[in-house]
Amino acid sequence: MSYPPPPRTPSGPRRRSLLASAAGAALLVGCSAGPDSAAGGTPSATARARARAARDSEGLLERYDAVLAAHPALAEPLGPLRAQVAAHRAAFAGRTAAGTQAPASAPPGSASPTASSPALAVPAGEKDALAFLATAERSLADRRAKDLLDVPGELARLMASASAAGAAHAYLLTEGAK
């Protein structure tokens, strides 16, 4: 006995389904904003978080510069820590580590980013100045550790790295103050 041939039903999705899916995907891609902007041209939460992190690093760099101006003898132990803070500022600002020049708001050729900002009150003693920096590093590291939970992958990794470095800096500065 012969069996009738099976009905000719193609396996997989139908052509009409594929066309509708492709058209829907094209509409979604064409209408969505880029990763760093929201509708209306305002910066996204990620862009705002990155800008805040860059400003925070800039503020910390200003503290380092103020301490170094008040206590030049600390230049050797603080130099590597300051360099890492400058690298973090550059990374958050979207520049490469080699491009850690002063931000665009500083006049060209200025030696430090604090050239145009008001002087910070730096403690008179070296140990107190190190504690001043340690407190700033610890506070910023804690804030970044909280903030990284609200940002996407790449920025979260950068914030986690900067937070860990800040915690290590706080430890080193605290040990140096002893």
Side-chain angles (χ1 to χ4, degrees), residues 139-150 159-160 162-164:
S139 173
L140 184 54
D142 291 346
R143 186 170 54 236
R144 284 182 173 157
K146 281 188 228 169
D147 289 349
L148 71 87
L149 299 174
D150 299 326
M159 289 179 88
S163 177

Side-chain angles (χ1 to χ4, degrees), residues 1 6 8 20 66 73 77 108 111 127 150-151 169 174:
M1 171 165 158
R8 198 158 187 264
K127 287 185 179 190
D150 299 326
V151 295
H169 291 182
T174 303

Side-chain angles (χ1 to χ4, degrees), residues 7 17 36 44-45 53 55 60 64 66 72 78 89 97 100 106 109 143 151:
S17 300
D36 287 338
S44 69
R55 283 190 310 273
L60 187 57
Y64 271 92
L78 293 183
R89 178 192 64 184
T100 57
R143 186 170 54 236
V151 295

Side-chain angles (χ1 to χ4, degrees), residues 64 68 71-83 126 130 173:
Y64 271 92
L68 288 169
H71 302 285
L74 294 175
E76 186 178 336
L78 293 183
L81 303 180
R82 186 198 178 282
E126 287 183 1
L130 292 174
L173 290 165

Side-chain angles (χ1 to χ4, degrees), residues 25 39 47 84 88 98 103 110 134 162 168 178:
Q84 282 188 341
H88 294 152
S110 64
K178 288 183 180 180

Side-chain angles (χ1 to χ4, degrees), residues 24-158:
L27 284 174
L28 287 175
V29 170
C31 293
S32 67
D36 287 338
S37 66
T42 58
S44 69
T46 301
R48 287 190 307 272
R50 181 179 284 277
R52 178 181 176 191
R55 283 190 310 273
D56 289 344
S57 290
E58 180 68 28
L60 187 57
L61 199 57
E62 289 175 358
R63 288 180 183 267
Y64 271 92
D65 289 342
V67 167
L68 288 169
H71 302 285
L74 294 175
E76 186 178 336
L78 293 183
L81 303 180
R82 186 198 178 282
Q84 282 188 341
V85 172
H88 294 152
R89 178 192 64 184
F92 285 122
R95 295 187 298 245
T96 62
T100 57
Q101 70 273 11
S105 62
S110 64
S112 75
T114 60
S116 62
S117 53
L120 293 169
V122 177
E126 287 183 1
K127 287 185 179 190
D128 292 334
L130 292 174
F132 168 75
L133 286 175
T135 300
E137 285 273 16
R138 191 174 299 108
S139 173
L140 184 54
D142 291 346
R143 186 170 54 236
R144 284 182 173 157
K146 281 188 228 169
D147 289 349
L148 71 87
L149 299 174
D150 299 326
V151 295
E154 185 63 30
L155 182 55
R157 284 187 289 277
L158 180 57

